[in-house]
Amino acid sequence: MQKKKSAPTYARRPGPPQQVRIIGGAWKRTPLPVLDAFGLRPTPDRVRETVFNWINHQTTGDWDRADCLDLFAGSGALGFEAASRGARSVTMIDTVGAVVRQLELIKDKLKADNVRVLRADALAVARDFIQRGQRFDLIFLDPPYQQDFLVQALPLCAQLLNEGGLVYAESGERLPFPETSDAAGDVPEWLQPWQLVRADKAGMVHYHLLKLH
């Protein structure tokens, strides 16, 4: 019997409370609190600024036609950034009750009518969306590191993207594309449908913008 994959777990983070800021759009400079209790690791402000510049370059900034999915929402930094820039819809998924309640509070404070927050298992929701034929133009993947969620999520995202859609994937190590890997060898099967658009590193964070071949 195959062992069931556990839901994301966030390590407890020591130190003072954190917050990040929305970088652009209608809610520019709005702070987003980060819960201490779950050690959330939000995408840093300068990384988000770079990534959203990449996305704007690829999409000519047509946010009003973009349906976005934030599968491991955490602090909500990525999803609220997209909503601030005028995304038509942003669906945020997280499995931790306190995290979801915080996302709902932020949504209410911002009056973010284009945001939907769901408490659910990200991979289960992705499979359900596939069955229902729901599609997205931009998918954010920033799961807890060292838990193989990208290996499971990217094959699902291949079935969730509209034509020309993009996936942002963040991880604790480089994805093994030939362009980013020092080691020779074949690209793993779960990565083969994908083309690397851009990639960079900030500290221990590796971030990638992907599209389907």
Side-chain angles (χ1 to χ4, degrees):
M1 180 181 295
Q2 186 177 9
K3 185 178 180 182
K4 185 179 179 181
K5 186 68 179 179
S6 60
T9 56
Y10 300 107
R12 185 174 293 273
R13 172 176 48 79
Q18 267 193 333
Q19 65 179 23
V20 293
R21 294 177 303 118
I22 293 176
I23 299 299
W27 307 319
K28 184 177 181 179
R29 291 189 289 273
T30 299
L32 301 176
V34 180
L35 288 179
D36 281 337
F38 296 96
L40 297 181
R41 178 195 34 74
T43 302
D45 293 353
R46 65 190 181 97
V47 171
R48 270 183 293 115
E49 183 172 19
T50 298
V51 168
F52 277 82
N53 285 339
W54 291 351
I55 294 169
N56 282 334
H57 182 72
Q58 292 292 318
T59 63
T60 65
D62 293 334
W63 287 102
D64 59 333
R65 293 186 289 176
D67 295 312
C68 305
L69 174 62
D70 192 352
L71 265 183
F72 303 88
S75 69
L78 291 164
F80 283 119
E81 187 74 47
S84 176
R85 292 165 189 258
R88 178 165 58 189
S89 70
V90 179
T91 301
M92 296 187 185
I93 313 294
D94 207 283
T95 191
V96 179
V99 170
V100 171
R101 288 191 292 274
Q102 180 84 299
L103 294 174
E104 291 280 11
L105 287 172
I106 297 169
K107 173 189 170 178
D108 291 345
K109 176 184 175 183
L110 296 174
K111 298 180 173 59
D113 295 333
N114 54 344
V115 172
R116 177 171 64 147
V117 180
L118 300 176
R119 181 181 180 182
D121 176 82
L123 301 177
V125 168
R127 295 186 188 100
D128 181 58
F129 284 166
I130 291 168
Q131 291 296 318
R132 291 194 285 157
Q134 193 159 348
R135 299 293 180 265
F136 299 91
D137 304 290
L138 178 60
I139 300 175
F140 299 111
L141 295 178
D142 182 16
Y145 296 168
Q146 287 87 41
Q147 295 185 45
D148 290 333
F149 284 112
L150 289 183
V151 176
Q152 299 176 81
L154 278 172
L156 299 174
C157 290
Q159 303 175 70
L160 284 170
L161 274 185
N162 282 323
E163 183 177 354
L166 297 167
V167 167
Y168 169 74
E170 190 173 313
S171 61
E173 56 189 30
R174 291 179 294 184
L175 295 182
F177 287 99
E179 302 95 316
T180 63
S181 178
D182 297 329
D186 294 333
V187 174
E189 183 177 355
W190 57 274
L191 208 51
Q192 288 176 7
W194 297 98
Q195 176 182 340
L196 182 66
V197 178
R198 297 289 298 268
D200 208 340
K201 178 187 177 185
M204 300 301 292
V205 176
H206 294 264
Y207 51 105
H208 318 75
L209 192 64
L210 311 175
K211 65 181 179 181
L212 288 167
H213 282 296

